[in-house]
Amino acid sequence: MSNIQNLLLISLLVGFVLLEYALGRVKTFKTGKGDTVIDLLSMVLLAGLTQPFIFFVVATFGDFAFPEYRNALAALPWYAMAAILLIGDDMTQYWWHRVSHSPLLWPLHRAHHSPQYMSARIIYRNNFFYYLCMPGLWISGILIYLGFAEVYLVYIVVKLAVITGAHSAVKWDAPLYRIKALQPLMWLVQRTVSTPSTHYAHHAMYDNDGIGHYRGNFGNLLFFWDVLFGTAHITQQFPSEVGLRDDQLFGRERWWVQLFYPLFKSQRTHSALVPGGKPYEEPAAS
C-alpha cells in the first residue's frame, strides 16, 4: 500500500509542480539558500522513513500484543471508515496543527511557514519530528491494522489532492469567485475544504491587513474544522507576502536547523530554534 500511495503522491505533486512551471508561477518564487533542500528532503523523509516506520511499528506491535484484532473492522461499510478517518486523522491533524502554533511546538512546524512562496512542493515541509509525533499518523496506522487499508488509500489520495491544491501557486479558486453563478457553490466549498485563498491567509506574513490569519485556518482536508472550532477566517483575497517576518529581519535559518531541531540549534540573533526561544511577534505600534 505504501508504494501505491507514494506513487500517487508523486504523481499529484509532479502534476501540480509542472502546472506551476507551465503557468510561469515559479518565476515569482522568493527562494533562498536551502529552500529546495528542505522542500525535497522533508518529503523524502516523510514518505520514505517516518510514515513507513510508524505503520511498521503499529503493525508489529499489533501482531505481537493483539493479533486477533488485525482486520477486525474490515467489514465496516466504506462510508463509516471514511467518517472515522476524517475524525481520527483529519480532525486530530487540525488540533496538532493548531497546538503547533504554540511556543512549545512551533519549532517543529516553523519550517512549513518559512518559505516566502506558496507551492505544491511545500506541502510536507516540516521538521522531521513534527510528523514523527503527529497523532493522526499513529491513529491511521492503527486503523489500517484494523482493516481500513483500501479505504485509507482512497481517502489519503483525496486529502493529498486538496492540500496540494491549497498550497499550490496555481490559485485554482481565484477565477471561480468572479463567476456570479458559482457564488453559492464557492460559499459552500470555502467552508468545507481547504482552498488556496483560506490557506494562503494562514501562511501570510502579516495578519493586520484583513487577509492574513496565521492564528487560524488550520484545516488540512476539511476547512470545516476551523468553522466548527472558531478559527476560520474566510477571504477571497490573497496576501501580498507569505513567509516569516523574522526571516526578513534576521536572515533565514539554516536548512538543517529547520529540519532537525533540537538536534541542531540556531546561531541567529533572534530565533525560536533555540532552547527557550519564542515565535517572533512584531512590536506593538506606539
Side-chain angles (χ1 to χ4, degrees):
M1 187 192 71
S2 293
N3 291 334
I4 297 174
Q5 177 190 315
N6 290 339
L7 179 61
L8 291 170
L9 165 61
I10 292 171
S11 299
L12 276 169
L13 176 65
V14 170
F16 271 101
V17 169
L18 288 177
L19 190 57
E20 290 175 355
Y21 272 95
L23 296 177
R25 301 292 193 272
V26 177
K27 297 177 182 179
T28 67
F29 289 2
K30 298 178 182 178
T31 55
K33 188 176 182 180
D35 274 327
T36 300
V37 174
I38 301 175
D39 293 345
L40 293 177
L41 187 55
S42 57
M43 183 168 296
V44 170
L45 287 170
L46 174 62
L49 178 61
T50 307
Q51 188 188 60
F53 169 77
I54 291 173
F55 289 178
F56 171 79
V57 168
V58 170
T60 302
F61 179 77
D63 285 339
F64 172 76
F66 308 104
E68 68 275 18
Y69 286 102
R70 178 177 277 276
N71 294 323
L73 299 180
L76 284 177
W78 69 266
Y79 51 85
M81 291 186 182
I84 293 170
L85 282 165
L86 284 172
I87 295 173
D89 173 71
D90 199 55
M91 189 185 75
T92 61
Q93 188 173 355
Y94 163 87
W95 283 105
W96 178 243
H97 187 184
R98 184 169 174 173
V99 299
S100 293
H101 279 252
S102 66
L104 178 64
L105 293 178
W106 175 245
L108 303 187
H109 183 54
R110 184 190 183 281
H112 189 66
H113 285 265
S114 63
Q116 295 178 23
Y117 53 91
M118 294 296 289
S119 170
R121 66 188 232 185
I122 74 168
I123 58 171
Y124 290 131
R125 175 178 169 136
N126 272 297
N127 181 284
F128 171 72
F129 299 103
Y130 178 83
Y131 288 114
L132 191 63
C133 298
M134 180 182 285
L137 280 177
W138 291 93
I139 293 171
S140 293
I142 294 171
L143 293 175
I144 289 170
Y145 184 79
L146 292 174
F148 284 47
E150 292 183 1
V151 173
Y152 179 80
L153 182 60
V154 176
Y155 162 81
I156 202 64
V157 170
V158 173
K159 180 171 181 174
L160 292 174
V162 170
I163 64 175
T164 304
H167 287 85
S168 176
V170 180
K171 303 171 184 175
W172 62 264
D173 58 336
L176 302 181
Y177 299 131
R178 297 191 291 269
I179 302 174
K180 190 172 182 179
L182 293 180
Q183 288 179 357
L185 174 62
M186 294 308 296
W187 184 96
L188 180 62
V189 167
Q190 280 200 294
R191 288 158 178 79
T192 305
V193 299
S194 294
T195 59
S197 58
T198 53
H199 202 69
Y200 271 55
H202 177 69
H203 281 258
M205 187 171 293
Y206 305 99
D207 69 346
N208 58 358
D209 58 0
I211 301 174
H213 188 57
Y214 53 77
R215 292 181 177 86
N217 292 18
F218 299 113
N220 289 271
L221 168 53
L222 294 186
F223 188 78
F224 172 73
W225 304 126
D226 286 283
V227 176
L228 180 63
F229 297 118
T231 54
H233 175 64
I234 298 172
T235 177
Q236 297 181 354
Q237 299 175 287
F238 294 84
S240 58
E241 292 183 273
V242 296
L244 297 173
R245 177 63 171 154
D246 55 303
D247 280 353
Q248 281 191 335
L249 296 174
F250 309 111
R252 299 173 191 251
E253 297 279 15
R254 293 176 172 85
W255 68 262
W256 57 89
V257 177
Q258 296 191 60
L259 280 181
F260 298 111
Y261 177 88
L263 300 181
F264 301 98
K265 298 175 178 62
S266 176
Q267 302 298 314
R268 212 175 68 176
T269 302
H270 176 97
S271 178
L273 301 180
V274 294
K278 298 179 180 179
Y280 177 80
E281 292 187 5
E282 288 279 12
S286 57

